[in-house]
Amino acid sequence: QVQLQESGPGLVKPSGTLSLTCAVSGVSISSSDWWGWVRQSPGKGLEWIGQIYQTGSTNYNPSLSSRVSISIDKSKNHFSLRLTSVIAADTAVYYCARHKTATTSLDYWGQGTLVTVSS
Amino acid sequence: QSVLTQPPSVSGAPGQRVTISCSGSSSNIGAGHDVHWYQQLPGTAPKLLIYDNTKRPSGVPDRFSGSKSGTSASLAITGLQAEDEADYYCQSYDSTLSAYVFGTGTKVTVL
């Protein structure tokens, strides 16, 4: 069974850097899948952040691309999110997820982790 | 600034049929990109409900069905049950934005 688990600080100061890791179990991250990040601001809808392939190839939401980077560590079977120069509007529940093979859907999700941007 | 528009809420009595619309444009649904649907129960992560417009992942009841036509898509829930009370989101890809996009979300209430 594929499982994903986010981890990282729950509080980040304004102008700081948000860093999260997604641990993948039940499947090798080196499989032919894309791995992504999605966030949800409190009481709001879902926003796609970006995705990474096993080769390290990435695609980012243009609205965040100047501040975001996603990396992959195949030896640890995990991938990571980095968002710089955070502001209060970046406060959200951050989910990691797997893009289902051969489709553009997201079939497995982590439980999500709340990151609050506040001084 | 979601590019996929859904009604904020729909409701129905147990056993009834409800539908949720997802309106897009020529750069996403109308461009032929597939539409997927997610169910989000309170306090939990989204769960894939329908993928590639009409397909159900293993374990999803056949009470849930999806369709797509032109620049819009729809999710239908037949035989509505109390456990279906949740938020539902559509998702597609937008060629102009070069990004995956989600709908505005619809809250389903079982009366």
Side-chain angles (χ1 to χ4, degrees):
Chain A
Q1 176 73 341
V2 178
Q3 292 186 314
L4 294 86
Q5 177 69 58
E6 307 87 352
S7 62
L11 181 64
V12 181
K13 291 186 181 342
S15 77
T17 297
L18 179 159
S19 295
L20 296 174
T21 295
C22 180
V24 178
S25 60
V27 68
S28 170
I29 205 167
S30 298
S31 63
S32 57
D33 294 309
W34 287 81
W35 305 89
W37 289 94
V38 175
R39 71 180 183 179
Q40 185 171 34
S41 299
K44 299 291 179 61
L46 301 165
E47 179 180 30
W48 178 74
I49 298 172
Q51 64 180 172
I52 189 164
Y53 192 61
Q54 55 156 322
T55 58
S57 179
T58 54
N59 295 301
Y60 299 128
N61 189 323
S63 68
L64 297 169
S65 61
S66 64
R67 301 192 292 131
V68 70
S69 65
I70 298 175
S71 59
I72 193 167
D73 188 332
K74 289 186 278 188
S75 67
K76 296 181 179 178
N77 218 45
H78 74 206
F79 61 105
S80 300
L81 170 70
R82 195 165 176 269
L83 183 66
T84 61
S85 304
V86 297
I87 60 176
D90 292 315
T91 294
V93 174
Y94 286 76
Y95 297 101
C96 58
R98 186 183 79 167
H99 284 264
K100 183 176 174 63
T101 303
T103 88
T104 54
S105 64
L106 295 149
D107 61 347
Y108 286 98
W109 295 65
Q111 65 183 29
T113 187
L114 173 63
V115 179
T116 301
V117 178
S118 175
S119 56
Chain B
Q1 66 278 19
S2 297
V3 299
L4 302 179
T5 303
Q6 300 178 230
S9 64
V10 299
S11 61
Q16 284 190 329
R17 179 179 186 270
V18 297
T19 62
I20 301 170
S21 60
C22 176
S23 178
S25 68
S26 59
S27 63
N28 41 69
I29 299 175
H33 295 298
D34 290 324
V35 178
H36 320 294
W37 291 89
Y38 302 87
Q39 177 193 60
Q40 186 175 33
L41 298 170
T44 69
K47 168 191 170 185
L48 182 63
L49 203 61
I50 297 288
Y51 69 98
D52 292 357
N53 309 310
T54 60
K55 301 174 184 176
R56 281 188 308 275
S58 174
V60 173
D62 58 6
R63 302 187 293 104
F64 296 92
S65 62
S67 64
K68 173 188 166 185
S69 179
T71 59
S72 296
S74 291
L75 173 72
I77 310 174
T78 57
L80 194 63
Q81 299 182 4
E83 66 203 51
D84 298 333
E85 199 160 272
D87 293 324
Y88 292 81
Y89 293 89
C90 58
Q91 178 239 315
S92 186
Y93 182 80
D94 192 282
S95 302
T96 299
L97 297 175
S98 295
Y100 295 94
V101 289
F102 288 92
T104 49
T106 299
K107 182 175 181 59
V108 169
T109 300
V110 181
L111 301 172

